[in-house]
Amino acid sequence: MHRAMNSRLIVPAGALLAGTAALILTAAVAAGADSGEADEAGMMNPMASAQATDRISDHFVTFAGGEVNATALVNGLHDGTAVTLTSTANGQTTTTNITPPTGPMGYGNVFLSLALAEAELTKLGITQPTAADVQAALTGGSVTTGSGATATTTALTGVLVLRNQGQGFGQIAQTFGVTLRSAVAAARAGMDSDEAAEAGRPGEAMKTPDRARATDRIGDHFVTFAGSEANADALVTGLHDGTVVSLTSTANGQTTTTMITPPAGQLSYRNVYLSLALAEEDLTKLGITQPTAADIQAALTGGSVTTGSGSTAVTTPLTGVLVLHHQGQSFSQIAQTLGVNLQTAVADARAATDANEAAEAGRPEEAMKTRHSGQVTDHLADHFATFAGGEDNATALVTGLRDGTAFTLTDTANGQTTTTTITPATGKMGFGNVFLALALAEEDLTKAGVSQPTGADIQAALDGGSVTTGSGSAAVTTPLPGVLALRNEGQGFGQIAQTLGVSLQTAIADARAGTDAAESAETAEAAEAGHAAAHAAAMRLSSAVAASANANAASGSHPDLPALSHRPDFSAVSRPQVPERPVIPMRPEISQRPEVPQRPEIPVHH
């Protein structure tokens, strides 16, 4: 629904200040601003400060060992006061005190400090740190991994110690051998209820991490990968709890069950997400985009997968993401072992949910749960109506790629209609993959100078072929490898973007901007139509008034005023006599002023 163009937005002063503080805080947390942040500048009220504490602590609940510990860490680092962490194991409760050497810190610095501490411990294979591990990562000390003969003790300098020595967070990250960007990304992905927060859920939902919401939100990313919503939820729950996962698949009327036993024990939701993202990327690299339960089992816990058939069949052994993680490898190391890119894996997983477009558009979570295919199709088609040459073509594109069936695009030019039939080489695709495939195809054509593609151009961009720009001697023909052809060869979308020489992020942004432009155009058209209708109504009214006035002028009457049978005659009434104004006597003449005698000369003294 669009608001009226002339409606006035009235924002309460309190809401405006709260919004300003929130914007300042968001920028601070995102950029890791130094001590001149919003709260130090007096811009953050106590309520905003509490909200900031809740928001940041949500990222580190698993890292800190609980919501209370996470809140204590954020408050203590922010205020520069001693922090007490409490942990309970085997019925015994222990407390660990941490005294920040840095003094008070801005919320941005608190976030970055904790993110780097977590990244350093993760690099060492510590994903469920004890309070003593957290203390060592922040203020220095040693941590031990493994046990018995394989035990390894590592000395840590401490994030806060290095910060207190004057190092910037980028320098600290280099000292640890990690990247600040990856640390921040991992922290953002790693809160027990971060998915609810990222979906714009109320702050109260973040304060009470909800297993069901977290499971649903992460499971949404892997429905296509897991084969169904039930399988996706089972994977997330089993990996998080460290319990056996049962995956069910049905083919040719037969139902099979595959059991997966996680070797790594319990995993945080962040680690569950990264494990599944890397497993999916590992299979995609091999050309498996619709894995069976057995394929997923091999990708997670080790085994072998087969691609192709007959004489072209290829069997590939997989070590298993969870096995590598259980051996102490960080997810960055696992990605390197698998020969994939962690950021690309995360990006593909985020983009590839069956209902992510509905979620990213701010649709209700109920819409995500029911996964209304028609609504998602409409939403995706909106992004590509201009690219496809019309709404019908865009819908045909999305539906065909989604179902893996042939679809027909229709073009009309100079009174002639042509049709182009495209048969996807990839088989069925998730909505996220459909979006990425079309976004990259559009970006590839734009790069070649084709901004209003024909059906044949779209076919070339998807399946491979050539496009021609210009005409006559200036004509240029460009061969295109085809997004779907590359995808069918096993390339991830990040790899496809590199092959095409474009940026995946730019392609996504341009596709999203296409929808904004279309919506803006629709708004403008609606506004213009409204203005035109108002103008037409005004002209009709003006014409009616003019016609009425002309008719009245001809008849000498006014239709709206009753005729007066008798107009009173005022001619006999005399106007009262106004007396003449008295003559004002002239002002008497003033006599001339007497002359002033000249001043006598003053004698000169010698």
Side-chain angles (χ1 to χ4, degrees):
M1 182 182 296
H2 299 288
R3 296 185 181 275
M5 296 291 288
N6 295 325
S7 63
R8 182 173 299 174
L9 179 62
I10 300 176
V11 181
L16 182 60
L17 289 175
T20 303
L23 287 173
I24 294 173
L25 173 62
T26 301
V29 171
D34 288 317
S35 55
E37 289 177 310
D39 49 328
E40 271 76 281
M43 292 294 292
M44 190 169 297
N45 56 38
M47 181 177 294
S49 181
Q51 289 175 345
T53 299
D54 288 342
R55 180 77 175 99
I56 296 174
S57 63
D58 281 335
H59 290 275
F60 301 102
V61 171
T62 301
F63 169 71
E67 184 179 351
V68 175
N69 282 350
T71 301
L73 273 174
V74 174
N75 284 333
L77 298 189
H78 179 258
D79 298 338
T81 56
V83 179
T84 299
L85 302 183
T86 303
S87 56
T88 302
N90 301 321
Q92 293 184 335
T93 300
T94 58
T95 58
T96 302
N97 293 315
I98 302 174
T99 303
T102 50
M105 300 175 71
Y107 282 113
N109 291 351
V110 170
F111 178 85
L112 293 176
S113 298
L114 294 176
L116 284 173
E118 183 176 26
E120 187 182 23
L121 291 177
T122 300
K123 179 187 173 188
L124 297 173
I126 301 174
T127 56
Q128 298 282 338
T130 64
D133 294 333
V134 174
Q135 181 184 43
L138 289 172
T139 59
S142 60
V143 295
T144 301
T145 54
S147 59
T150 61
T152 302
T153 300
T154 305
L156 305 180
T157 307
V159 174
L160 300 182
V161 173
L162 294 174
R163 181 66 179 168
N164 196 44
Q165 292 173 358
Q167 286 194 28
F169 288 106
Q171 293 173 300
I172 295 173
Q174 289 179 346
T175 302
F176 292 163
V178 300
T179 67
L180 182 59
R181 187 174 182 179
S182 298
V184 170
R188 288 194 182 283
M191 60 181 176
D192 273 4
S193 61
D194 65 329
E195 297 302 322
E198 288 171 6
R201 307 258 175 87
E204 193 60 34
M206 294 187 290
K207 290 180 182 178
T208 56
D210 190 323
R211 278 175 54 92
R213 286 182 179 177
T215 300
D216 287 343
R217 182 74 174 119
I218 297 176
D220 284 338
H221 291 273
F222 301 101
V223 172
T224 301
F225 169 70
S228 70
E229 184 178 352
N231 281 351
D233 290 345
L235 276 171
V236 174
T237 302
L239 297 189
H240 179 259
D241 296 341
T243 56
V244 176
V245 179
S246 176
L247 301 184
T248 303
S249 56
T250 302
N252 301 320
Q254 292 184 336
T255 300
T256 58
T257 302
T258 303
M259 312 299 288
I260 300 175
T261 303
Q266 294 181 348
L267 293 173
S268 67
Y269 282 116
R270 184 273 308 257
N271 291 350
V272 170
Y273 181 88
L274 294 178
S275 297
L276 294 176
L278 284 174
E280 182 176 26
E281 197 73 8
D282 195 24
L283 291 175
T284 300
K285 175 189 168 190
L286 297 173
I288 302 174
T289 56
Q290 298 283 336
T292 64
D295 294 333
I296 295 173
Q297 182 184 42
L300 288 172
T301 59
S304 61
V305 295
T306 301
T307 54
S309 59
S311 60
T312 61
V314 177
T315 299
T316 305
L318 303 180
T319 306
V321 173
L322 298 181
V323 173
L324 294 173
H325 186 59
H326 186 57
Q327 291 173 358
Q329 287 195 27
S330 67
F331 288 103
S332 296
Q333 292 173 310
I334 294 173
Q336 290 178 346
T337 301
L338 301 179
V340 299
N341 181 282
L342 179 60
Q343 290 182 341
T344 302
V346 170
D348 286 350
R350 286 196 181 281
T353 74
D354 271 7
N356 68 329
E357 295 302 320
E360 289 169 6
R363 305 267 177 87
E365 64 178 286
E366 193 60 34
M368 293 189 289
K369 290 180 180 178
T370 56
R371 311 197 193 291
H372 195 301
S373 181
Q375 290 179 345
V376 181
T377 298
D378 289 343
H379 183 62
L380 284 181
D382 285 340
H383 289 277
F384 301 102
T386 302
F387 167 70
E391 185 177 347
D392 291 340
N393 280 350
T395 302
L397 270 172
V398 174
T399 303
L401 297 186
R402 165 68 175 163
D403 297 338
T405 56
F407 55 91
T408 300
L409 303 182
T410 303
D411 293 314
T412 302
N414 301 321
Q416 292 184 336
T417 300
T418 58
T419 59
T420 303
T421 301
I422 301 174
T423 303
T426 50
K428 294 182 179 181
M429 300 175 71
F431 281 117
N433 290 352
V434 171
F435 176 84
L436 293 177
L438 292 176
L440 285 173
E442 183 175 25
E443 196 73 8
D444 196 25
L445 289 175
T446 301
K447 177 189 171 190
V450 182
S451 55
Q452 297 284 336
T454 63
D457 293 332
I458 295 173
Q459 183 181 41
L462 289 173
D463 289 341
S466 60
V467 295
T468 301
T469 54
S471 59
S473 59
V476 176
T477 299
T478 305
L480 303 180
V483 173
L484 299 182
L486 295 173
R487 181 68 176 170
N488 198 41
E489 291 172 1
Q491 288 194 27
F493 287 105
Q495 293 172 301
I496 294 173
Q498 290 178 345
T499 301
L500 301 180
V502 299
S503 163
L504 180 59
Q505 289 181 339
T506 302
I508 292 172
D510 288 348
R512 293 195 184 285
T515 301
D516 293 338
E519 290 177 353
S520 298
E522 290 174 4
T523 303
E525 287 174 5
E528 187 174 346
H531 287 309
H535 179 68
M539 292 301 293
R540 288 194 299 271
L541 178 60
S542 177
S543 299
V545 171
S548 177
N550 291 336
N552 293 339
S555 63
S557 64
H558 197 294
D560 296 328
L561 298 177
L564 293 176
S565 58
H566 174 71
R567 183 181 292 270
D569 185 8
F570 295 101
S571 59
V573 181
S574 60
R575 185 173 293 178
Q577 188 78 20
V578 180
E580 294 184 358
R581 181 177 295 176
V583 178
I584 299 175
M586 295 180 64
R587 181 177 296 176
E589 194 172 313
I590 300 174
S591 57
Q592 292 184 352
R593 181 177 296 175
E595 292 185 3
V596 178
Q598 293 183 353
R599 180 178 297 177
E601 293 184 4
I602 300 174
V604 180
H605 296 281
H606 298 284

